[in-house]
Amino acid sequence: MNLKEIWQTVLAEIELSISKANFITWFRNTKIHSRKDGVVTISVPSGFAKEWLDSKYNKQILKILRNNSPDIKEIQFIIGSQTPTTIIKRIKKKLIPNSVSDQLNFQEFTLDKDTNLNPKYTFDNFVIGSFNELAQAAARAIIKHQGNLYNPLFIYGGVGLGKTHLLQAVGNDLMKNSPNKKVKYISSEKFTSEMIDAISNKGMENFKNKYHKIDTLIIDDIQFIAGKEKTQEEFFNTFNALYQKNKQIIISSDRPPKAIATLEERLRSRFEGGMIADISQPDMETRLAILKNKIEEKKVKISDDVIVYVATHIQSNIRELEGALNRIIAFSQVNNTIPTMKNISKILSQIINTPKKMTNCKSIFKAVCELYDISVDDLFNRSRKKELVRPRQISMYLIRQELNGSYPYIGEKLGGRDHTTVMYACQKISKEMENNDSLQHEINIIKERLYN
Ligand code: ADP
Ligand code: MG
């Protein structure tokens, strides 16, 4: 086997063991550069991929290589031969904008009228990590064993974590493999409104017929039927009709069945009778993979520093991750520049809640005294001098604002003052802050010193 063939064998095996999205993200544009004295050197497209492959896939690659050639002892990674300037030239070329939507490379997808499925949601662009592995595996199993393995399949998880994507991917896959089967994707809200329409237009028979004929019913965000008695009843009927015929039902929710208040007991127990799988928050590796994947999809170049920054700062929600990326892409294309780290923190400042840095009373006292040029003891004594009263009040206000201190606690910290005095001080400063520019400025200076 030549080097190319050896690498093909490795890729073929790896491709089977990880998701397509992860595979494309990390293994595209890799090859064996050389093989010498039992050391195989693999060329990869970037420093980032090098680090990642080395830490996550080194063992797996080595194992596959050794299966074929036991004399291989070690693997190394090098960054491929592209020079940075050629990369930058290529990026610049790509960045020349036509229109913003072109730049973002948004693809227009149309919903299928019968199924309500959006073809953009597929398994190919669904990144898998430990956070969604179970839900994904259960969903895939359904495709092979419709109606008789996990029925219903109930997937739950917080906003923007991929429930809709996963549900629709199942639907799209089913349609691809068995186009004659009737698949229907619907949100529980839409289900409700269709039902209400049917009732008011005397179309309940049609409504029932339509739903009872479906082979796979996918209901998104079922939590919205909580409290709606009539909808629950109709859904229960539909559920039973389908269930009895071994038709597949897939449900998503933002919480597990037992946490949906005012869900009728009979529905709850139906939901709990199938398979329940959750989607939690993606870990760092997966967040990076998701970003990389979307960048590939949108065919833009973004530096690894930036990708890591985004993945580090946006942790809880894949939709936000995408949103951040779209902003960065829009920025770079509108300005026709490659965004620097400085740009990025600015672009993302609105969506990233920088974790609040901690401070304490001692630092507040120090910062206040430095600004007003008084000693810390002056804060604690009983003098009524205006130039001392004011810094005291500002200290109280800051302890309240920054440390959420209770009034008695603050009083105690400032030399044993009554809590009503503290309350008065905090309110006074708060009120003054609204229209006293110089006070605002002073407090900003103090905060600056506290946190930088
Ligand atoms: P939910 O329905 O849980 O609120 P969505 O399915 O709408 O979340 O996902 C939000 C966005 O994140 C969508 O654009 C979706 O394509 C994307 N997304 C979610 N999970 C993944 C994933 N595992 N891999 C790639 N993209 C994902
Ligand atoms: Mg959703």
Side-chain angles (χ1 to χ4, degrees):
M1 276 203 277
N2 63 27
L3 296 181
K4 201 170 167 191
E5 285 161 351
I6 296 174
W7 192 235
Q8 281 310 320
T9 320
V10 173
L11 292 181
E13 267 198 49
I14 295 210
E15 192 172 7
L16 292 176
S17 68
I18 63 178
S19 76
K20 184 160 180 195
N22 284 357
F23 180 73
I24 291 171
T25 307
W26 304 114
F27 288 91
R28 179 172 283 179
N29 298 329
T30 57
K31 60 178 186 203
I32 295 184
H33 172 265
S34 56
R35 172 183 177 176
K36 203 176 164 221
D37 303 332
V39 180
V40 169
T41 304
I42 298 156
S43 140
V44 303
S46 68
F48 190 57
K50 174 172 180 277
E51 216 171 281
W52 205 256
L53 288 168
D54 200 10
S55 68
K56 303 284 171 188
Y57 295 102
N58 189 318
K59 273 198 195 130
Q60 194 180 355
I61 297 171
L62 185 60
K63 197 168 151 215
I64 302 170
L65 284 170
R66 287 174 62 104
N67 280 344
N68 296 312
S69 331
D71 61 308
I72 295 174
K73 291 183 202 64
E74 196 189 321
I75 54 175
Q76 286 177 352
F77 294 90
I78 54 160
I79 303 167
S81 55
Q82 255 179 351
T83 58
T85 43
T86 57
I87 298 172
I88 287 170
K89 265 190 210 145
R90 239 190 25 225
I91 303 171
K92 286 228 155 145
K93 213 166 134 202
K94 277 210 172 114
L95 288 180
I96 294 173
N98 295 322
S99 71
V100 173
S101 64
D102 258 12
Q103 298 151 24
L104 290 179
N105 200 25
F106 283 137
Q107 280 171 284
E108 282 296 326
F109 288 101
T110 39
L111 291 190
D112 182 294
K113 267 212 210 90
D114 292 328
T115 63
N116 275 335
L117 290 167
N118 184 333
K120 82 170 182 179
Y121 295 117
T122 64
F123 279 110
D124 282 352
N125 55 18
F126 191 72
V127 176
I128 296 148
S130 53
F131 76 113
N132 63 4
E133 212 164 7
L134 176 66
Q136 177 272 151
R140 278 194 187 262
I142 276 185
I143 297 167
K144 288 207 191 94
H145 310 273
Q146 275 191 72
N148 51 32
L149 183 65
Y150 302 135
N151 208 10
L153 170 63
F154 189 102
I155 288 171
Y156 74 92
V159 232
L161 292 176
K163 300 182 296 294
T164 298
H165 190 138
L166 183 58
L167 258 52
Q168 295 230 11
V170 175
N172 281 319
D173 211 286
L174 288 172
M175 286 310 292
K176 204 168 79 194
N177 294 322
S178 7
N180 304 327
K181 298 260 181 179
K182 280 199 166 49
V183 175
K184 178 125 188 134
Y185 165 91
I186 191 158
S187 67
S188 76
E189 286 165 302
K190 185 95 191 301
F191 181 87
T192 307
S193 74
E194 274 192 19
M195 191 196 75
I196 293 170
D197 271 359
I199 294 172
S200 56
N201 298 320
K202 302 204 167 57
M204 252 343 248
E205 271 314 298
N206 278 346
F207 178 86
K208 279 191 180 136
N209 283 340
K210 182 170 124 188
Y211 277 94
H212 295 191
K213 265 195 226 140
I214 287 167
D215 295 299
T216 300
L217 177 63
I218 305 174
I219 299 247
D220 207 354
D221 291 318
I222 196 82
Q223 72 272 8
F224 293 124
I225 71 166
K228 295 180 186 135
E229 263 173 48
K230 183 71 192 144
T231 312
Q232 293 200 29
E233 187 188 324
E234 208 40 63
F235 183 67
F236 185 74
N237 292 337
T238 308
F239 186 103
N240 284 342
L242 295 176
Y243 187 80
Q244 278 155 15
K245 286 186 272 185
N246 269 349
K247 305 295 186 185
Q248 182 68 50
I249 300 148
I250 311 171
I251 299 165
S252 87
S253 164
D254 67 348
R255 62 202 92 163
K258 66 171 173 304
I260 308 178
T262 64
L263 181 68
E264 277 183 36
E265 201 41 52
R266 54 183 185 165
L267 269 180
R268 192 190 320 275
S269 69
R270 284 284 189 280
F271 294 167
E272 284 173 346
M275 165 81 174
I276 300 184
D278 74 321
I279 300 185
S280 57
Q281 289 180 353
D283 56 22
M284 181 70 180
E285 176 181 9
T286 321
R287 295 200 295 278
L288 288 169
I290 289 170
L291 287 169
K292 286 244 161 196
N293 205 258
K294 307 245 178 252
I295 289 167
E296 286 267 336
E297 226 173 60
K298 293 182 198 292
K299 298 191 176 51
V300 288
K301 286 274 169 188
I302 289 183
S303 83
D304 293 341
D305 282 354
V306 169
I307 298 172
V308 171
Y309 182 90
V310 177
T312 310
H313 285 82
I314 300 180
Q315 303 186 345
S316 59
N317 184 320
I318 299 170
R319 192 173 293 135
E320 278 181 10
L321 220 48
E322 276 188 340
L325 195 62
N326 285 341
R327 274 174 186 237
I328 294 170
I329 297 171
F331 172 90
S332 67
Q333 299 188 326
V334 169
N335 296 295
N336 198 15
T337 57
I338 301 160
T340 61
M341 285 300 287
K342 217 172 165 184
N343 297 143
I344 296 303
S345 50
K346 210 161 171 193
I347 299 167
L348 300 184
S349 61
Q350 285 152 318
I351 33 180
I352 292 175
N353 308 319
T354 350
K356 205 165 180 176
K357 289 189 195 160
M358 292 303 286
T359 187
N360 53 39
C361 290
K362 211 170 146 195
S363 309
I364 292 178
F365 296 149
K366 186 164 171 272
V368 170
C369 291
E370 270 171 16
L371 184 72
Y372 296 107
D373 200 23
I374 59 172
S375 77
V376 177
D377 283 340
D378 288 334
L379 285 179
F380 303 135
N381 68 33
R382 303 265 147 190
S383 159
R384 303 287 316 152
K385 277 193 203 146
K386 193 165 176 256
E387 59 275 25
L388 300 184
V389 170
R390 183 120 177 124
R392 247 180 240 143
Q393 289 178 334
I394 289 174
S395 304
M396 293 176 187
Y397 167 84
L398 283 168
I399 298 176
R400 180 88 185 152
Q401 285 278 309
E402 305 302 304
L403 302 176
N404 219 354
S406 72
Y407 296 127
Y409 168 85
I410 301 171
E412 199 189 308
K413 284 281 165 193
L414 276 128
R417 275 163 232 271
D418 193 73
H419 75 274
T420 51
T421 312
V422 180
M423 220 157 97
Y424 168 79
C426 292
Q427 280 161 5
K428 181 165 183 275
I429 301 293
S430 255
K431 195 145 199 292
E432 231 185 288
M433 280 283 281
E434 282 167 25
N435 39 31
N436 180 339
D437 288 349
S438 72
L439 177 63
Q440 282 169 16
H441 185 63
E442 283 161 31
I443 289 192
N444 282 339
I445 294 175
I446 299 171
K447 284 192 185 165
E448 191 96 330
R449 289 189 189 188
L450 282 176
Y451 294 119
N452 293 309

